[in-house]
Amino acid sequence: RAAPPVITIDGPTASGKGTIAHRVAQALGWSVLDSGALYRLTALAVQQNGTNPDDEMAVARVAQELDVAFQGEQVLLEGRDVAALIRQEQVGNLASRVAAYGPVRQALLERQRAFRMAPGLVADGRDMGTVVFPDAPLKIFLVADVRARAERRSKQLKEKGFSANLADLLESMRARDERDRTRANAPLVAAADARTVDSSSLTIDETVRVVLDLWSSLGFQPQE
Ligand code: CDP
Ligand code: CDP
């Protein structure tokens, strides 16, 4: 019996991966995996435990032992909803630092693969198409102009009640993308068989349509 299908959505920060992943999953009646949340949760746990972020093995143990649950909009870390907290750019930054560690990525690998279930999964992150689900039948590499991404993220953070300075955000996002692209372990790169979609001038609805059309064009039959 074939494994349930996966649509992967990788790309730089704030390109719309999470939003598009949720909408596509909703349209297909599939599950979602927000893999970035696992790295953000590791970063938050490291911060809260007082773990030394430079100690690779200590951080990997935190990742291995992470007590998390995803319930609708809620992201529970040891039973406490931290969905808003992990969205801060400072947590994203620490996430990007610890995500460069091979043992941390290894610790989170099986946890991510466990999200694959019938009838299908939409998974977003940096290495969904290259490392975690290399056999995914549809891989999207979602990009957008860095200015458009910074403006979207700034608006999104303000809506969550966080302060966000556009210039600082732009600087931080650039640095984070650069670190993610140049690291040795699972760098941010389009899989050889990924379709690149530029959403700079697309609405969310238009982007969702592009992905759903690509999926339909593959002519996949639903599993019995
Ligand atoms: O997951 P990722 O960091 O790639 O991005 P996101 O959190 O899904 O999207 C960042 C923000 O951009 C959200 O507030 C989206 O609503 C917004 N967005 C947009 O305005 N237009 C798009 N085509 C896609 C996302
Ligand atoms: O929402 P945004 O795109 O800003 O970030 P995210 O997807 O929540 O990921 C936060 C950080 O986790 C990224 O900057 C990456 O360094 C790391 N990450 C990763 O290495 N691999 C993934 N599959 C997902 C995230």
Side-chain angles (χ1 to χ4, degrees):
R1 188 185 171 88
V6 182
I7 296 177
T8 60
I9 306 183
D10 291 305
T13 175
S15 61
K17 303 177 298 296
T19 306
I20 304 307
H22 275 92
R23 294 278 303 268
V24 168
Q26 208 167 34
L28 296 170
W30 291 9
S31 314
V32 282
L33 164 62
D34 174 1
S35 64
L38 293 172
Y39 290 94
R40 286 172 180 267
L41 285 159
T42 302
L44 186 67
V46 159
Q47 212 174 45
Q48 292 182 342
N49 297 344
T51 305
N52 176 3
D54 296 322
D55 184 342
E56 249 188 55
M57 294 319 291
V59 177
R61 271 194 301 278
V62 171
Q64 188 70 52
E65 288 161 12
L66 216 53
D67 168 15
V68 299
F70 295 90
Q71 290 175 4
E73 303 278 279
Q74 296 196 326
V75 181
L76 304 174
L77 177 62
E78 288 167 8
R80 204 162 61 87
D81 184 16
V82 295
L85 212 54
I86 58 167
R87 293 301 145 199
Q88 298 173 93
E89 181 55 19
Q90 171 228 351
V91 176
N93 244 305
L94 185 56
S96 163
R97 277 175 61 198
V98 302
Y101 301 153
V104 170
R105 307 200 69 84
Q106 197 56 41
L108 295 175
L109 191 59
E110 286 314 314
R111 212 190 266 265
Q112 295 173 82
R113 288 186 175 149
F115 280 78
R116 184 175 199 163
M117 59 189 92
L121 174 70
V122 186
D124 93 87
R126 300 293 183 289
D127 63 341
M128 297 297 96
T130 50
V131 175
V132 181
F133 304 110
D135 63 334
L138 177 60
K139 301 179 183 178
I140 306 292
F141 197 70
L142 188 60
V143 301
D145 173 77
V146 70
R147 280 224 143 254
R149 292 190 282 119
E151 276 161 19
R152 290 173 184 176
R153 182 49 48 87
S154 159
K155 185 160 170 277
Q156 188 183 29
L157 285 169
K158 283 177 182 157
E159 282 165 5
K160 290 193 193 297
F162 296 115
S163 63
N165 172 288
L166 191 62
D168 292 349
L169 205 52
L170 198 60
E171 162 89 19
S172 174
M173 286 171 51
R174 278 213 174 96
R176 184 142 69 89
D177 285 346
E178 176 67 13
R179 187 193 291 121
D180 291 348
R181 282 197 181 100
T182 56
R183 69 187 177 205
N185 300 309
L188 166 64
V189 62
D193 51 350
R195 327 278 182 118
T196 296
V197 175
D198 187 335
S199 79
S200 304
S201 55
L202 296 181
T203 64
I204 291 170
D205 284 343
E206 287 167 340
T207 314
V208 168
R209 183 41 54 205
V210 168
V211 177
L212 288 175
D213 285 350
L214 282 169
W215 176 249
S216 305
S217 74
L218 293 183
F220 242 72
Q221 296 305 315
Q223 291 187 317
E224 76 285 7

